[in-house]
Amino acid sequence: MAVSEEECSSANSRSSSSSTSSTSHYLSKCLLRGTVVLHVLHGHIRFPNSRDIVFGKEKSIELVIIGEDGIVQSLCEQPVFGTIKDIAVLPWNDGFRTRNRQMPGKDLLVVVSDSGKLSILSFCNEMHRFFPVTQVQLSNPGNSRNQLARMLAIDSSGCFIAASAYVDRLAMFSVSMSGGSDIIDKKIVYPPENEVNVNAPRVQKNSISGTIWSMSFISQDPNQSKGHNPILAVVINRTGTVRNELLLLGWNIREQDVYVISQYVEDDGPLVLSIAEVPHSYGFAFLFREGDAILMDLRDANNPYCIYRTSPNFLSNVVDEANFVQESSKGCDLSSVLQVDDEGGLFNVAACALLELSDLDPMCIDGDKYNVNVTHKFVCSWSWEPGNVKNQRMIISADTGEYFMIEIFFNPDGVKVQESECLYKGLPCKTILWVEGGFLAALVDMGDGMVLKMENGTLHYRSPIQTIVPVLDMSVVDYHDEKHDQMFACCGVAPEGSLRIIRSGITVEKLLRTAPIYQGITGTWTLRMKVIDTYHSFLVLSFVEETRVLSVGLSFTDVTDSVGFQPDVSTLACGVVNDGMLVQIHRSAVRLCLPTQGAHSDGVPLPSPVCTSWFPENLSISLGAVGHNLIVVSSSNPCFIFILGVRMLSVHHYEIYEMQHLRLQNELSCISIPQNRYEKKDTSFSNSLVDESSAPALPFGVDISNIFVIGTHKPSVEILSLAPSEGLRVLASGAISLTNTFGTAISGCIPQDVRLVLVDRLYVLSGLRNGMLLRFEWPTPSRRPLSVVPQSPVDWLSVSTDTVLSSVSAANSFGRHMYTTKLSENIKDNFPVDLQLIATRRIGITPVFLVPLSDSLDGDVVVLSDRPWLLHTARHSLSYTSISFQSSTHVTPVCYVECPKGILFVAENCLHLVEMVHSKRLNVQKLHLGGTPRRVFYHSESRLLLVMRTNLSDDTCSSDICCVDPLSGSVLSSFKLEFGETGKSMELMRVGSEQVILVGTSLSSGSAIMPCGEAESTKGRLIVLCLENMQNSDSGSMTFGSKAGSSSQRASPFHEIVGYATEQLSSSSLCSSPDDTSCDGMKLEETEAWQFRLAFSMPWPGMVLAICPYLDRYFLASAGNAFYLCGFPHDNSQRVKKWAVARTRFTITSLTAYFTRIVVGDCRDGILFYDYHEESKKLQQLYCDPYQRLVGDCILMDVNTAVVSDRKGSIAVLSCADYLEDTASPECNLTVSCAYYMGEVAMSIKKGSFSYKLPADDALKGSDGSIDFSQNGIIVSTLLGSIITFVPISREEYELLEAVQDRLAVHPLTAPILGNDHNEFRSRENPVGVPKILDADMLTQFLELTSMQQEDVLSLPLCVQGTVKSRLKLRSSPVPVNQVVQLLERVHYALN
């Protein structure tokens, strides 16, 4: 379990912990990136013909597509190590950048960020990430209101770019026509960087001074425009004015002058909010205002005028029932939470509330400030229909949640505008995007987005876009002892509040599970009846001394006898050699079978299957593989390889014949034959990262149809060719010789499995018996040896003198056509070649098996070792993601009509049929609750979740404490608070033999904190609840079972399969433990009912913002700037007594305790350390925070070390280990051990881990075992929906990884793509000189590089230059690659 409920009180553990706390070293890893989508764009990002969608988040860029089924599929997500302010697409223009061969036809991304730079990014398919093409420095890094990094505007032709600050400043850029490396040609900034320069272009200061609300370029008719001078329309609010005005600016490029062309304002008109150009219109734009929208004619920039105004009822005829959606959603705009002026200024309400404690506090989402009636409705987002050139159509989303369409007709007699009725009603959207296929991606602020589709003139819901935001609380548990943690998180605000069950890895939807009766399985395969079949027909299960064949479908029926496989042997391999012909390979023979129609409708019309066998003479088969028209088997001691074919003798009668057999010098360990399928896909919806419009290039002289791959005990991997007139020859060989950090050879490097992959290039994957994964690639021509012939097991083998002559015509032979059994004597000079070892990874300690998900050579591969992984074949180097499933021994894909993407795992003697949900962006299950969930705990006795909710729509109460079933999300019982009472805090505590729930509430409306930080005069209540178990046997029995019950299923060995009810269990179903009686098919004759009982209640002298158990017999409760130590006399939960009280200067926001130590966090002074003296019954302050901070949350790691987050986005580790308690005083400051700027506000900190804990962990730690992810780890959840973990590491590991991080932060392949100084970014809001927590997101990029690139990174010299710190001095000794890879593999293994 990740989070302990009772702290250890051992003095030894305390002393050992405190001895190392002063030298704390942590590694930060983002487990789940923030899901708040601030910008959504579309363009040709990957290829010129791909239709890609970009989700611009605050801290990352995600590339997605919307499939034909309307489901959003994530292709990649890349952290930017900075804060994105705005992002836009720079469309490809054939007239520009024509000389750049790297980006022909691809659109680029333009980003402005806190780096102060304008960054232009291009997507690299090979590296699977964005890279900067060019960067232009606009201003200093940071978040200043005058920084030119607030807003972007892109000319529709891709010729011009504009960037603005919040106030007074803007810049314009022209895109280069020369097509050189510098995309930006000319640039003009107002005001100029050097005010003294009289020749600098400038605009009169009183012309555009004010706050810039919106910008858009206005296209000009190329047939009428006299030049290429752009026109920029700006909506601006001048200082001291009430109305916004439209300003038209011109840029005279030749004279480098920006000037005001005209301005437009209606003195009595509504407030102008934004402007949007009408595409392909040359001079028309919409002004969106409060209550309406107007169409402007800007063709004559000197005389702008309105030509159409929407009808009065267009945005005002909304029903009042939508108010609660609008008001709740407007409560906290997360896009602006962290937009803070570095000079201390404030330019939005959210930042003001966070840092200056104004009366409008978005963190207090329960106040009355959201019950404001808004009289004017307005457009909050819009999107134009793509690809429509003639008549422009636009969908708009109003702040009421209604969607409308505006269509513009350009007729000879003028412009006509048509308004639609309401197309859809939902939540108001922050941003929407209309994409090809009629889909509309709609993103909201505080809830899940959605994909809508335009059909028959109206919008229809298709699928959700999950956004886990904000995460207000979380509870991490090892539920059902599944050996990997999952998190229950409070997400969203009313009315979209929900619980989210978050698990790491790729989502797996559990469909079926058998009883644990399948002991001794040695192999699993799925077979098609015909090579071209879409679906599988048979499932083959091999046991130690048995083989069974099952038909694939709704009922898995045993058809072994009808197929013809020999049932009393263990199958080594099987496959389809040709249509209707199945092959079984066992130790004694190779068996060819023609199934009957009883097994498959396309079988032979005979009463029994037709079978024939081939037997090796006096040998035992050890390995085998079956391909199209080819069978390869091998033996050991002596080592032979046999190449077999199949030929027809008569109708339904065939024989297996030997084409060639060779004696080997080294025994084979594995064989793999490609299935010769390369499937071209529609790149419009494809999630592949290669340009599939053309087939990938093969190395010269290689024919994919006649090669196969072997692994040998040498050890090595070999690519062999079998071609007419040439016999069997070696095309390429890759020797396996691996060493550890100390230069010692690594044992167990024998290949367990090999696979040939063909994506944009040909390469070989090899899984080793020691748990390592290797990638070999064909050498580039410049590095290929010309005359070196490597040792190979086939190079000097003994060729059999027996020649096999075919007595049947070639037309009836299904083997590869062979005309000799001798090796060719004319081997070309360029064969064989040395395969290059590109990357190595350790993913476990057990042998690695490779199972492709499809027969296609570019299909992704399931990698099975200690745990299952999904390897992305199209990625650069080795890239794999954990699959959210338990440790398994075997796996095979299963594809049939009802389950086209099924996967069969063998685990714990059970067969598990699952579906890997690639289409889900997040491995998250949603349990809708309503209201705003604020606190959540897992109650181990009842196995239920305890949730505190606020903002309920109930007429009798607005807050309650409820019990939630973690499987279905249903509320089983509830304790309602009084009318007008709001829950603020909740904790679990054991009193005697029972566990009670402590609840703190507020009986006052309004904020609890004054703007100065002092406490308001408020009232609250302290409540003690007990959760009691009441037997409820009159509710009948409950059964989870399979719906299918046919006789054919009863004859199947799957007759005890359990079907998870999909309407009750979602894709992240928790039922995976075989002893869980709620999902094993048994009837639950009695269901347990749990109800709340009020044990105690008393008024409290202030809002109870924080509660904390203390020393197993006390608890702490806050009230304004005071906190009380209370207890239960004689362990009586119906009595509460106050024992002591202490006060701080400012309002207390958090309380936490560890053994005798108490830590108090307030909204100004940071954290304070206290102790309680039982003899004198007094609370004594010991230490204080050396810096002011507005505490978000705090937790004690031991009695001397605290981890605290603030609402500026930082987290710090503070320690008092350097002080002696007998000399302590309130003036003794704590020491900041290390700090880290996340850029996100952490509202919940837990002690524990969110990692896999398998037996391989101990082996992966090595001899030192210094990294322990399950102990002393920290988990943080943020308002933007991120889940971040901090794990402790040793000093030696810290110093090693710090040197690697410094190099990665400046290397072109891994440096922050927006131009941020990584060290400066992670040091913000923290004291100078404080050690930094290492960034694992930066470090794990090292694993995505090839071995040569890793060497290049580590060899990069880092000298002291300018602002680079002295710690970057060149190391006296080189950084060892193996040691770095091994350490980062452990991080990736545990936290992926």
Side-chain angles (χ1 to χ4, degrees), residues 924-939:
V924 175
Q925 177 185 354
K926 179 180 180 180
L927 305 177
H928 183 78
L929 287 183
T932 302
R934 299 298 303 266
R935 297 282 284 166
V936 60
F937 289 95
Y938 178 68
H939 191 254

PDB file of all heavy atoms in Angstrom, residues 924-939:
ATOM      1  N   VAL A 924      -8.148   6.238 -17.012  1.00  0.00           N
ATOM      2  CA  VAL A 924      -8.929   6.844 -15.934  1.00  0.00           C
ATOM      3  C   VAL A 924     -10.377   6.400 -16.047  1.00  0.00           C
ATOM      4  O   VAL A 924     -10.948   6.396 -17.132  1.00  0.00           O
ATOM      5  CB  VAL A 924      -8.845   8.390 -15.991  1.00  0.00           C
ATOM      6  CG1 VAL A 924      -9.749   9.006 -14.938  1.00  0.00           C
ATOM      7  CG2 VAL A 924      -7.413   8.854 -15.788  1.00  0.00           C
ATOM      8  N   GLN A 925     -10.925   6.003 -14.929  1.00  0.00           N
ATOM      9  CA  GLN A 925     -12.350   5.680 -14.862  1.00  0.00           C
ATOM     10  C   GLN A 925     -13.081   6.816 -14.145  1.00  0.00           C
ATOM     11  O   GLN A 925     -12.609   7.313 -13.117  1.00  0.00           O
ATOM     12  CB  GLN A 925     -12.557   4.366 -14.105  1.00  0.00           C
ATOM     13  CG  GLN A 925     -14.020   3.993 -13.922  1.00  0.00           C
ATOM     14  CD  GLN A 925     -14.182   2.751 -13.062  1.00  0.00           C
ATOM     15  OE1 GLN A 925     -13.193   2.117 -12.699  1.00  0.00           O
ATOM     16  NE2 GLN A 925     -15.401   2.405 -12.746  1.00  0.00           N
ATOM     17  N   LYS A 926     -14.203   7.217 -14.689  1.00  0.00           N
ATOM     18  CA  LYS A 926     -14.961   8.331 -14.123  1.00  0.00           C
ATOM     19  C   LYS A 926     -16.185   7.816 -13.378  1.00  0.00           C
ATOM     20  O   LYS A 926     -16.952   7.023 -13.905  1.00  0.00           O
ATOM     21  CB  LYS A 926     -15.398   9.287 -15.235  1.00  0.00           C
ATOM     22  CG  LYS A 926     -16.224  10.474 -14.740  1.00  0.00           C
ATOM     23  CD  LYS A 926     -16.626  11.391 -15.881  1.00  0.00           C
ATOM     24  CE  LYS A 926     -17.448  12.572 -15.401  1.00  0.00           C
ATOM     25  NZ  LYS A 926     -17.840  13.458 -16.503  1.00  0.00           N
ATOM     26  N   LEU A 927     -16.335   8.276 -12.137  1.00  0.00           N
ATOM     27  CA  LEU A 927     -17.527   8.000 -11.334  1.00  0.00           C
ATOM     28  C   LEU A 927     -18.209   9.331 -11.069  1.00  0.00           C
ATOM     29  O   LEU A 927     -17.761  10.108 -10.224  1.00  0.00           O
ATOM     30  CB  LEU A 927     -17.151   7.312 -10.021  1.00  0.00           C
ATOM     31  CG  LEU A 927     -16.328   6.021 -10.120  1.00  0.00           C
ATOM     32  CD1 LEU A 927     -15.976   5.509  -8.731  1.00  0.00           C
ATOM     33  CD2 LEU A 927     -17.081   4.959 -10.900  1.00  0.00           C
ATOM     34  N   HIS A 928     -19.261   9.596 -11.804  1.00  0.00           N
ATOM     35  CA  HIS A 928     -19.932  10.894 -11.669  1.00  0.00           C
ATOM     36  C   HIS A 928     -20.662  10.958 -10.341  1.00  0.00           C
ATOM     37  O   HIS A 928     -21.431  10.057  -9.975  1.00  0.00           O
ATOM     38  CB  HIS A 928     -20.915  11.100 -12.812  1.00  0.00           C
ATOM     39  CG  HIS A 928     -21.596  12.441 -12.768  1.00  0.00           C
ATOM     40  ND1 HIS A 928     -20.975  13.605 -13.178  1.00  0.00           N
ATOM     41  CD2 HIS A 928     -22.821  12.799 -12.341  1.00  0.00           C
ATOM     42  CE1 HIS A 928     -21.798  14.618 -13.017  1.00  0.00           C
ATOM     43  NE2 HIS A 928     -22.920  14.167 -12.512  1.00  0.00           N
ATOM     44  N   LEU A 929     -20.432  12.062  -9.594  1.00  0.00           N
ATOM     45  CA  LEU A 929     -21.056  12.230  -8.279  1.00  0.00           C
ATOM     46  C   LEU A 929     -21.966  13.441  -8.216  1.00  0.00           C
ATOM     47  O   LEU A 929     -22.898  13.470  -7.428  1.00  0.00           O
ATOM     48  CB  LEU A 929     -19.976  12.375  -7.199  1.00  0.00           C
ATOM     49  CG  LEU A 929     -19.184  11.122  -6.822  1.00  0.00           C
ATOM     50  CD1 LEU A 929     -18.226  11.449  -5.693  1.00  0.00           C
ATOM     51  CD2 LEU A 929     -20.109   9.997  -6.418  1.00  0.00           C
ATOM     52  N   GLY A 930     -21.692  14.455  -9.021  1.00  0.00           N
ATOM     53  CA  GLY A 930     -22.411  15.707  -8.876  1.00  0.00           C
ATOM     54  C   GLY A 930     -21.801  16.523  -7.751  1.00  0.00           C
ATOM     55  O   GLY A 930     -21.031  16.027  -6.916  1.00  0.00           O
ATOM     56  N   GLY A 931     -22.160  17.786  -7.702  1.00  0.00           N
ATOM     57  CA  GLY A 931     -21.556  18.642  -6.699  1.00  0.00           C
ATOM     58  C   GLY A 931     -20.078  18.823  -6.969  1.00  0.00           C
ATOM     59  O   GLY A 931     -19.575  18.600  -8.071  1.00  0.00           O
ATOM     60  N   THR A 932     -19.351  19.224  -5.923  1.00  0.00           N
ATOM     61  CA  THR A 932     -17.898  19.377  -5.986  1.00  0.00           C
ATOM     62  C   THR A 932     -17.271  18.487  -4.930  1.00  0.00           C
ATOM     63  O   THR A 932     -17.340  18.803  -3.743  1.00  0.00           O
ATOM     64  CB  THR A 932     -17.479  20.840  -5.752  1.00  0.00           C
ATOM     65  OG1 THR A 932     -18.096  21.674  -6.732  1.00  0.00           O
ATOM     66  CG2 THR A 932     -15.965  20.985  -5.846  1.00  0.00           C
ATOM     67  N   PRO A 933     -16.673  17.366  -5.291  1.00  0.00           N
ATOM     68  CA  PRO A 933     -16.003  16.528  -4.288  1.00  0.00           C
ATOM     69  C   PRO A 933     -14.741  17.212  -3.782  1.00  0.00           C
ATOM     70  O   PRO A 933     -13.892  17.628  -4.571  1.00  0.00           O
ATOM     71  CB  PRO A 933     -15.696  15.238  -5.049  1.00  0.00           C
ATOM     72  CG  PRO A 933     -15.687  15.629  -6.478  1.00  0.00           C
ATOM     73  CD  PRO A 933     -16.636  16.781  -6.631  1.00  0.00           C
ATOM     74  N   ARG A 934     -14.628  17.332  -2.471  1.00  0.00           N
ATOM     75  CA  ARG A 934     -13.507  18.060  -1.882  1.00  0.00           C
ATOM     76  C   ARG A 934     -12.500  17.167  -1.183  1.00  0.00           C
ATOM     77  O   ARG A 934     -11.313  17.460  -1.189  1.00  0.00           O
ATOM     78  CB  ARG A 934     -14.039  19.092  -0.877  1.00  0.00           C
ATOM     79  CG  ARG A 934     -14.965  20.139  -1.470  1.00  0.00           C
ATOM     80  CD  ARG A 934     -14.244  20.964  -2.516  1.00  0.00           C
ATOM     81  NE  ARG A 934     -13.065  21.603  -1.990  1.00  0.00           N
ATOM     82  CZ  ARG A 934     -13.039  22.837  -1.513  1.00  0.00           C
ATOM     83  NH1 ARG A 934     -14.135  23.563  -1.527  1.00  0.00           N
ATOM     84  NH2 ARG A 934     -11.919  23.362  -1.067  1.00  0.00           N
ATOM     85  N   ARG A 935     -12.958  16.093  -0.532  1.00  0.00           N
ATOM     86  CA  ARG A 935     -12.058  15.189   0.187  1.00  0.00           C
ATOM     87  C   ARG A 935     -12.487  13.759  -0.078  1.00  0.00           C
ATOM     88  O   ARG A 935     -13.680  13.456  -0.238  1.00  0.00           O
ATOM     89  CB  ARG A 935     -12.083  15.457   1.687  1.00  0.00           C
ATOM     90  CG  ARG A 935     -11.599  16.830   2.096  1.00  0.00           C
ATOM     91  CD  ARG A 935     -10.087  16.926   2.066  1.00  0.00           C
ATOM     92  NE  ARG A 935      -9.484  16.256   3.196  1.00  0.00           N
ATOM     93  CZ  ARG A 935      -8.191  15.946   3.282  1.00  0.00           C
ATOM     94  NH1 ARG A 935      -7.394  16.219   2.261  1.00  0.00           N
ATOM     95  NH2 ARG A 935      -7.700  15.360   4.343  1.00  0.00           N
ATOM     96  N   VAL A 936     -11.510  12.843  -0.130  1.00  0.00           N
ATOM     97  CA  VAL A 936     -11.808  11.439  -0.363  1.00  0.00           C
ATOM     98  C   VAL A 936     -10.864  10.581   0.475  1.00  0.00           C
ATOM     99  O   VAL A 936      -9.673  10.899   0.608  1.00  0.00           O
ATOM    100  CB  VAL A 936     -11.694  11.075  -1.857  1.00  0.00           C
ATOM    101  CG1 VAL A 936     -10.289  11.334  -2.378  1.00  0.00           C
ATOM    102  CG2 VAL A 936     -12.095   9.636  -2.101  1.00  0.00           C
ATOM    103  N   PHE A 937     -11.419   9.519   1.070  1.00  0.00           N
ATOM    104  CA  PHE A 937     -10.644   8.536   1.818  1.00  0.00           C
ATOM    105  C   PHE A 937     -11.139   7.147   1.445  1.00  0.00           C
ATOM    106  O   PHE A 937     -12.325   6.949   1.153  1.00  0.00           O
ATOM    107  CB  PHE A 937     -10.788   8.742   3.332  1.00  0.00           C
ATOM    108  CG  PHE A 937     -10.102   9.968   3.853  1.00  0.00           C
ATOM    109  CD1 PHE A 937     -10.809  11.151   4.001  1.00  0.00           C
ATOM    110  CD2 PHE A 937      -8.763   9.946   4.188  1.00  0.00           C
ATOM    111  CE1 PHE A 937     -10.186  12.289   4.480  1.00  0.00           C
ATOM    112  CE2 PHE A 937      -8.132  11.079   4.652  1.00  0.00           C
ATOM    113  CZ  PHE A 937      -8.848  12.257   4.803  1.00  0.00           C
ATOM    114  N   TYR A 938     -10.223   6.197   1.486  1.00  0.00           N
ATOM    115  CA  TYR A 938     -10.594   4.804   1.271  1.00  0.00           C
ATOM    116  C   TYR A 938     -10.777   4.147   2.631  1.00  0.00           C
ATOM    117  O   TYR A 938      -9.845   4.092   3.439  1.00  0.00           O
ATOM    118  CB  TYR A 938      -9.522   4.082   0.461  1.00  0.00           C
ATOM    119  CG  TYR A 938      -9.816   2.617   0.248  1.00  0.00           C
ATOM    120  CD1 TYR A 938     -10.876   2.217  -0.560  1.00  0.00           C
ATOM    121  CD2 TYR A 938      -9.054   1.628   0.860  1.00  0.00           C
ATOM    122  CE1 TYR A 938     -11.148   0.883  -0.759  1.00  0.00           C
ATOM    123  CE2 TYR A 938      -9.314   0.291   0.665  1.00  0.00           C
ATOM    124  CZ  TYR A 938     -10.368  -0.078  -0.142  1.00  0.00           C
ATOM    125  OH  TYR A 938     -10.653  -1.404  -0.334  1.00  0.00           O
ATOM    126  N   HIS A 939     -11.980   3.653   2.870  1.00  0.00           N
ATOM    127  CA  HIS A 939     -12.316   3.005   4.135  1.00  0.00           C
ATOM    128  C   HIS A 939     -12.062   1.513   3.972  1.00  0.00           C
ATOM    129  O   HIS A 939     -12.827   0.810   3.287  1.00  0.00           O
ATOM    130  CB  HIS A 939     -13.779   3.290   4.493  1.00  0.00           C
ATOM    131  CG  HIS A 939     -14.142   2.902   5.887  1.00  0.00           C
ATOM    132  ND1 HIS A 939     -14.906   1.800   6.173  1.00  0.00           N
ATOM    133  CD2 HIS A 939     -13.833   3.474   7.076  1.00  0.00           C
ATOM    134  CE1 HIS A 939     -15.068   1.702   7.485  1.00  0.00           C
ATOM    135  NE2 HIS A 939     -14.424   2.709   8.044  1.00  0.00           N
TER     136      HIS A 939
END
